[in-house]
């Protein structure tokens, strides 16, 4: 993996290289007329979708249906992961690039207050679906400091000479700080240091291309494959079903020890920390704490005095459960929950949650009760119920394929927000 933007292009200057790339100017594109101009309020409203699938008349239906942009949980540092798939971009004349930009901004608006990672799968970008250079320049300028401040890394997977040349040309307008965040990834296995590839729902075309790249190398030059999942340790805690953790617990407590440890510590020292749950943690420390738990050793967060580490460990534990806390069984009910009338929502939530296995219900109640304490201090920590829902929604429920479309995340976050708002009535 490389973060070096300067590459050897031979004797030709970058401008000559660019001419060979045959980039069209934005004036050369035959854009279809926009049906309507999207304002900022329009964009905001578009991301309150109440269905896992956008209806055909939704303003962003023609963008969302391509699944160009996805959200894929948290990375190994506890940061939200946004994925951009170039191979899913249709030909230029079939895609409204202005809407695509607004859709991307609407996605990032939900996460820019938190640390996040952007992964760009470059394979599949061709002369037919490649946006103009002018559009790319304007898109970069459209993303102001709000979007660039908390992006901790941009990973460009399978970079070509085109993308490297493009970054050189853009270097005069790319800030030094942002340039340091750009990393080239030659093979999918290199991403394992950042995020578990199985949660990314990588397009088949990208996987096949990666296999071809590997096959073209001499055996001695073969990059390592993604490590196989190791068998669970005797005392493993992460990635283990809640039912099994309860069986192992000396006192039979249905709430896992990781949740009890982290929430106890955060209740004492994290309630007044601004941006709690929005910051990432040192990945080495995260792995060390996970190893301690999986080895059966006791973990004392009070000795470490790192609130953000405990917060990331809590989110990581929830995300690594083999089945989400809210279970696959309730997935469809929750993503369609907006169809339940307002006066019936508390009763509906109680009915849904009471159908959970005992371990899931107890753990969810324990977590939500704590998050209500966090929200009660939102004037100091800035974590309202809405902000907490954005952070925890994707860690409480996901589809069986791990990754989720943006149109499904909205309803999940809305359900989590409603649960936080009504927790005192739901858990009585």
């Amino acid at each position: 993996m490389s973060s070096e933007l300067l590459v050897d292009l031979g004797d030709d200057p970058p401008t000559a290289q660019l001419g060979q790339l045959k980039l069209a100017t934005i004036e050369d594109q035959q854009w279809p007329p926009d049906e309507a101009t999207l304002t900022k309020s329009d964009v905001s409203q578009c991301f309150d979708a109440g269905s896992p699938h956008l209806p055909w008349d939704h303003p962003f239906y023609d963008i969302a249906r391509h699944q160009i942009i996805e959200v894929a949980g948290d990375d190994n540092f506890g940061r939200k992961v946004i994925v951009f798939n170039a191979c899913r971009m249709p030909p230029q004349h079939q895609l409204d690039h202005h809407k695509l930009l607004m859709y991307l901004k609407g996605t990032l608006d939900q996460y820019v207050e938190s640390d996040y990672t952007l992964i760009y799968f470059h394979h599949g970008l061709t002369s037919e679906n490649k946006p103009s250079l002018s559009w790319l320049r304007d898109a970069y300028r459209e993303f102001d400091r709000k979007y660039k401040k908390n992006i901790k890394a941009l990973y460009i997977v399978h970079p070509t000479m085109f993308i490297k040349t493009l970054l050189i040309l853009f270097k005069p307008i790319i800030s030094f700080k942002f340039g340091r965040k750009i990393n080239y990834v030659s093979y999918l296995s290199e991403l394992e240091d950042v995020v578990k590839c199985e949660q990314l729902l990588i397009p088949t075309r990208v996987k096949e291309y990666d296999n071809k790249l590997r096959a073209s190398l001499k055996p001695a030059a073969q990059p390592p494959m993604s490590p196989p999942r190791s068998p669970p340790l005797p005392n493993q805690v992460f990635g283990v079903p809640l039912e099994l953790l309860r069986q192992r617990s000396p006192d039979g407590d249905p709430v896992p020890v990781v949740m009890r440890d982290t929430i106890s510590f955060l209740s004492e020292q994290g309630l007044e920390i601004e941006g709690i749950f929005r910051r990432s943690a040192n990945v080495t420390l995260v792995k060390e704490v996970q190893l301690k738990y999986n080895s059966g050793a006791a973990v004392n967060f009070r000795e470490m005095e790192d609130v953000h580490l405990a917060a990331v460990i809590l989110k990581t534990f929830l995300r690594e459960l083999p089945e989400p806390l809210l279970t696959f069984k309730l997935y469809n009910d929750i993503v369609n929950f907006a169809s339940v009338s307002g006066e019936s929502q508390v009763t509906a939530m109680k009915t849904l949650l009471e159908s959970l296995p005992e371990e899931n219900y107890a753990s969810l109640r324990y977590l939500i009760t704590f998050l209500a304490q966090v929200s009660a201090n939102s004037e100091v920590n800035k974590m309202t119920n809405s902000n907490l829902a954005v952070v925890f929604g994707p860690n409480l429920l996901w589809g069986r394929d791990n990754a989720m479309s943006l149109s499904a995340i909205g309803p999940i976050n809305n359900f989590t927000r409603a649960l936080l708002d009504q927790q005192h009535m739901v858990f009585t």
Side-chain angles (χ1 to χ4, degrees):
M1 190 180 301
S2 171
S3 60
E4 179 57 66
L5 291 183
L6 292 176
V7 293
D8 185 8
L9 298 175
D11 297 329
D12 295 332
T15 51
Q17 294 285 337
L18 180 64
Q20 298 171 20
L21 296 175
K22 297 181 180 178
L23 277 171
T25 65
I26 197 165
E27 291 78 10
D28 294 334
Q29 306 297 339
Q30 299 299 314
W31 302 111
D34 290 341
E35 295 181 3
T37 300
L38 292 173
T39 65
K40 187 172 182 179
S41 61
D42 293 330
V43 173
S44 176
Q45 292 172 5
C46 291
F47 282 84
D48 291 333
S51 166
H53 304 289
L54 295 182
W56 67 270
D57 58 348
H58 190 281
F60 281 118
Y61 170 79
D62 55 334
I63 303 296
R65 68 189 177 94
H66 296 295
Q67 295 183 299
I68 300 168
I69 303 166
E70 295 178 318
V71 178
D74 294 354
D75 65 12
N76 298 339
F77 303 82
R79 309 177 298 212
K80 278 286 173 287
V81 178
I82 313 295
V83 179
F84 191 103
N85 300 294
C87 68
R88 290 179 175 163
M89 293 179 66
Q92 297 168 355
H93 67 279
Q94 296 179 15
L95 182 66
D96 184 331
H97 287 70
H98 174 67
K99 274 191 177 180
L100 175 62
L101 179 58
M102 293 301 101
Y103 189 61
L104 179 57
K105 287 185 70 174
T107 303
L108 296 180
D109 279 340
Q110 302 175 69
Y111 302 106
V112 291
E113 297 301 327
S114 307
D115 293 349
Y116 70 99
T117 294
L118 185 61
I119 297 177
Y120 168 62
F121 289 110
H122 180 63
H123 176 68
L125 190 73
T126 67
S127 58
E128 292 186 355
N129 67 358
K130 185 167 56 185
S132 71
L133 181 62
S134 298
W135 182 87
L136 292 172
R137 180 198 62 212
D138 294 342
Y140 176 80
R141 289 173 173 169
E142 184 77 20
F143 291 100
D144 55 26
R145 186 174 182 275
K146 179 181 78 169
Y147 298 93
K148 297 168 186 172
K149 176 185 176 184
N150 287 331
I151 180 172
K152 297 306 176 183
L154 165 59
Y155 295 96
I156 300 175
V157 183
H158 300 140
T160 60
M161 183 58 68
F162 163 74
I163 196 71
K164 292 180 179 180
T165 304
L166 196 63
L167 287 173
I168 289 178
L169 293 170
F170 272 42
K171 196 169 185 182
I173 65 171
I174 295 177
S175 70
F176 175 73
K177 285 185 178 180
F178 187 80
R180 291 177 61 187
K181 299 176 182 180
I182 300 175
N183 301 272
Y184 294 139
V185 179
S186 299
Y187 304 97
L188 293 177
S189 59
E190 296 176 10
L191 280 176
E192 289 288 341
D193 292 334
V194 181
V195 64
K196 294 177 176 61
C197 286
E198 63 186 31
Q199 78 186 57
L200 295 179
L201 203 63
I202 301 170
T204 301
R205 285 180 60 186
V206 174
K207 291 181 180 179
E208 291 175 348
Y209 179 71
D210 191 74
N211 290 334
K212 288 180 180 178
L213 288 179
R214 289 175 172 279
S216 66
L217 295 175
K218 295 179 180 179
Q222 285 281 343
M225 294 291 291
S226 298
R229 185 180 290 273
S230 57
L233 300 170
N235 297 305
Q236 184 151 337
V237 174
F238 286 81
V240 176
L242 293 177
E243 182 180 11
L244 180 56
L245 293 178
R246 184 179 186 181
Q247 292 173 2
R248 290 179 183 170
S249 176
D251 55 3
D253 195 321
V255 180
V257 63
V258 177
M259 293 185 66
R260 283 183 276 138
D261 287 351
T262 53
I263 289 176
S264 174
F265 172 70
L266 292 170
S267 296
E268 292 178 8
Q269 300 191 27
L271 295 181
E272 297 186 352
I273 300 297
E274 182 173 343
I276 182 67
F277 296 117
R278 283 180 164 170
R279 301 279 78 87
S280 52
N282 183 293
V283 71
T284 302
L285 291 178
V286 171
K287 290 180 178 179
E288 287 178 1
V289 170
Q290 285 184 288
L291 182 59
K292 278 188 175 182
Y293 274 119
N294 288 337
S295 301
V299 175
N300 189 341
F301 288 102
R302 292 165 184 82
E303 292 179 355
M304 304 178 203
E305 296 184 335
D306 189 338
V307 168
H308 297 300
L309 174 62
V312 168
I313 290 293
L314 174 59
K315 292 189 296 180
T316 302
F317 173 79
L318 293 171
R319 183 66 199 186
E320 292 193 2
L321 287 171
E323 183 170 10
L325 197 58
L326 287 171
T327 71
F328 295 129
K329 180 181 177 181
L330 297 187
Y331 183 85
N332 287 334
D333 291 316
I334 289 174
V335 295
N336 289 298
F337 189 75
S339 62
V340 178
S341 61
E343 62 271 15
S344 304
Q345 287 193 351
V346 170
T347 302
M349 277 192 284
K350 286 175 67 74
T351 301
L352 284 175
L353 301 186
E354 287 171 358
S355 71
L356 290 170
E358 187 177 350
E359 300 83 14
N360 296 63
Y361 182 87
S363 298
L364 180 67
R365 181 174 185 171
Y366 190 76
L367 173 66
I368 296 298
T369 301
F370 160 65
L371 294 182
Q373 290 181 281
V374 176
S375 180
N377 289 271
S378 61
E379 288 190 7
V380 178
N381 60 39
K382 310 302 181 187
M383 296 303 291
T384 61
N385 283 346
S386 180
N387 291 336
L388 289 169
V390 169
V391 171
F392 278 92
N395 292 312
L396 295 179
L397 184 65
W398 56 87
R400 291 185 183 274
D401 56 10
N402 282 301
M404 290 184 289
S405 66
L406 294 177
S407 51
I409 285 181
I412 291 171
N413 291 350
N414 290 341
F415 177 86
T416 306
R417 163 72 185 272
L419 180 57
L420 288 167
D421 288 342
Q422 306 293 341
Q423 56 86 24
H424 59 289
M425 299 176 65
V426 173
F427 292 111
T428 54

